[in-house]
Amino acid sequence: MATKKKGAAGGLACKTPESPSKTSSDLQALAGSVAEPMSQTTRERQMAQALNQDPQLVEDFLVEAREHLTNIEARLLEIEQGAQTRETLNSAFRSFHTLKGLAGFLEYNVIQEVAHEVESLLDLARNDALQLNAPIVDVVLQSGDFLAACLRSIELNKTKTEAPPMDDPAVLLERIRAAAATPQAVEATAQGELEERDLAAEMERTKAGAGEPSKEMSAAAEAVPAETTAGPKRSDASLVKIETGKLEYLVEMVGELMIAESMLHHNPDLGESRSPRVQRDLSQLARVTAEVQKTAMAMRMVPIGTLFRRMTRLVRDLARKSGKSADLELHGEEVELDRTIVEELADPLVHMLRNALDHGLEAPADREAAGKPATGKVRLKAAHQAGQIVIELSDDGRGLDRGRILAKAVQRGLVSAETNLSDSEVYHLIFEPGFSTAERVTDVSGRGVGMDVVRKHISRLRGRIDIASTLGQGTTFTLRVPLTLAIIHGLVTIVGGVRYIVPIFAVREMFRPTPERLFSVEGRGEMVLVRERLLPVVRLSRRLGVQAKSEDPCEGVMIVGESEDRQYCLLVDELAGKQEVVIKNLGPTFGEVRGVAGGAILGDGRVGLILDLATLFGGAEHAA
């Protein structure tokens, strides 16, 4: 059994080759043919040690290995759900086989040995000598988790960070071998020996051709069934890997180009020019800049299916842990959005799915008693809508209990018993910190922490959440987030000579108020009548400490905005138009200013502050 040993580049190289001393090397050079030739095994080990200390090779290995682990998990979950085909099993088998070859090439012996044992197990299933039941799928998934932990250890060691202690691989290897040691498997041993020799020879060919990593990439691409990828299949020659930092810098520079083009467009000297050539050149510059910006933003876009498929394993494990039966349905996996938003959505979706499985879905016996199928349904759906991404998470469980939520909120002093709230406003109370109606706390949920985290994450993304629920039938959470965090379509407003940008997605309508539509309600402050509904007025000048042009609301403009399912009217002096702006971080000094989400350089060179309506409206009274 190989033991683990940390190296400079990889933390799981189990053997360290013995390098000949300098004196010995010199003697061999002088003696020429007299010196004893170095053994083939020693040469291979020295080569592997040199390769697994090459940062670029190790980085490529980590990327490829993680792609294979993602494919393995997806294929195994398909098999467990009864969607097994010959190609599904072959795909998982090829991924383990390729992992074994890559790990052997870089002499990550623990990864190689675990992958080899699982490969042998899956080979028995391929030969119909072993039935992949739930316990065996558990073993294979645990092997994938162990290999993922090995990759994390390698990555940490590469950055000189101390890696957490690894589990003993001997225990896992025993479980894998025990799973293969069934009567059926023993009978098929002789049948598999010949193919195993062929596989060993193929692994040697993989080592010999290790200077061509693109061949392994091709194997990885072939291991993923065509139906799991969106769009036409592309060859590896058409794909180029690039560091995330370089891509982010490119997008930032494209943003600067957009700002420069906008400043040229608004330059009064050029604007007064009547030269057709100047105007034609400016138009051409605007077209090229728009195309470059569009292409740069497209490079940041990734399919949301990569995130959705990660949730499949979560639902499976949580359902088994809670003794429930649940299926996860995925829709709109091909929808693309900014990579940063995909990463930020991971935590909210995890918390929401944990709550759906733990509190939303009933136990199988309770579902059958209510006339429902014993297996619950959880759906994740994504779609484009009005320049945003809409993500729906729904279940067919017990639904939200309005009365219970309201009673808990009154008990905690969040609202008064006399407050008249809509169903949506009551449901949004579950996002309050520490709010929970659970009768017992489990290791999955019940402490009232998760949904607060969800709201914070979605607010940080400049998004919003809507809730619809029917008691006894289920709940649907609808998340609306922008396509990208780099650029925003904004409504430029002016208050006291200062320009502020209101995100267009939060704007419902604009109007100039008249005296008969303005009211002052006791305990609720200024209100304005909008479409037969009284909405609170938020004077932007008073919120941000700016001197308004006039204190008379009728001389200003009202902007009806929406945040967390509540509508308000934002009072500004005037509107300066609509503009697409590049969002700039205000840094640590101004990053925590309440009501401001960031800054932008406008076409005339001035700086405009982007408003965070959720924070601005936070101090306003609830809408009726």
Side-chain angles (χ1 to χ4, degrees), residues 309-386:
R309 286 189 287 273
R310 284 164 53 190
M311 301 298 121
T312 305
R313 174 75 183 278
L314 175 68
V315 170
R316 180 247 188 204
D317 290 348
L318 288 175
R320 296 192 63 176
K321 190 171 187 177
S322 60
K324 299 177 181 178
S325 180
D327 288 336
L328 177 63
E329 296 180 0
L330 304 179
H331 303 277
E333 298 173 72
E334 71 285 353
V335 172
E336 292 188 337
L337 70 165
D338 195 298
R339 177 185 58 82
T340 305
I341 295 181
V342 171
E343 294 172 355
E344 288 289 334
L345 282 173
D347 279 351
L349 286 182
V350 166
H351 285 296
M352 295 169 74
L353 281 171
R354 289 166 70 93
N355 275 277
L357 268 294
D358 202 33
H359 300 306
L361 295 184
E362 310 93 332
D366 295 336
R367 291 181 61 85
E368 291 177 343
K372 299 180 179 180
T375 300
K377 293 288 185 184
V378 181
R379 296 177 183 86
L380 267 175
K381 179 181 178 182
H384 287 282
Q385 188 180 95

Side-chain angles (χ1 to χ4, degrees), residues 587-596:
T589 305
F590 302 102
E592 299 300 323
V593 175
R594 185 176 179 83
V596 177

Side-chain angles (χ1 to χ4, degrees), residues 88-302:
T88 306
L89 183 55
N90 287 339
S91 177
F93 174 84
R94 286 197 299 267
S95 286
F96 272 112
H97 178 65
T98 306
L99 262 176
K100 181 179 75 171
L102 292 171
F105 167 58
L106 294 177
E107 211 168 78
Y108 292 134
N109 295 346
V110 173
I111 295 178
Q112 181 185 18
E113 187 170 4
V114 172
H116 171 71
E117 293 296 339
V118 181
E119 176 192 22
S120 301
L121 179 67
L122 293 179
D123 191 40
L124 293 172
R126 289 202 315 161
N127 294 322
D128 299 321
L130 186 68
Q131 181 66 36
L132 285 182
N133 53 25
I136 292 181
V137 169
D138 282 340
V139 172
V140 179
L141 289 175
Q142 287 171 6
S143 302
D145 293 341
F146 177 82
L147 295 181
C150 292
L151 298 183
R152 285 194 296 273
S153 179
I154 293 174
E155 191 169 43
L156 290 173
N157 283 323
K158 191 178 67 156
T159 58
K160 309 298 183 183
T161 304
E162 184 177 356
M166 295 286 298
D167 295 333
D168 185 359
V171 177
L172 176 62
L173 289 169
E174 284 302 317
R175 290 200 63 189
I176 300 171
R177 290 164 183 156
T182 63
Q184 282 182 302
V186 172
E187 292 171 6
T189 300
Q191 180 182 352
E193 285 180 353
L194 180 60
E195 188 169 355
E196 176 59 32
R197 287 198 295 270
D198 293 339
L199 293 175
E202 184 178 344
M203 190 181 79
E204 291 302 319
R205 289 195 298 272
T206 301
K207 288 184 178 181
E212 302 173 4
S214 61
K215 294 181 180 178
E216 293 295 351
M217 296 180 193
S218 299
E222 293 171 1
V224 182
E227 63 269 18
T228 64
T229 58
K233 188 175 181 180
R234 297 171 295 182
S235 66
D236 293 322
S238 66
L239 301 176
V240 177
K241 293 181 181 178
I242 186 171
E243 293 180 14
T244 304
K246 293 180 180 178
L247 177 60
E248 296 294 342
Y249 183 72
L250 171 64
V251 172
E252 183 179 346
M253 289 299 100
V254 170
E256 295 294 333
L257 176 63
M258 288 181 60
I259 293 171
E261 185 273 328
S262 180
M263 293 175 69
L264 278 176
H265 182 74
H266 290 84
N267 189 304
D269 296 334
L270 291 176
E272 295 172 359
S273 173
R274 298 184 180 275
S275 169
R277 180 173 180 178
V278 171
Q279 296 302 321
R280 186 173 61 252
D281 290 348
L282 287 175
S283 298
Q284 176 66 10
L285 176 62
R287 283 194 297 270
V288 172
T289 302
E291 285 299 316
V292 171
Q293 180 260 329
K294 181 180 177 182
T295 303
M297 296 311 302
M299 292 170 64
R300 290 171 54 108
M301 308 299 261
V302 296

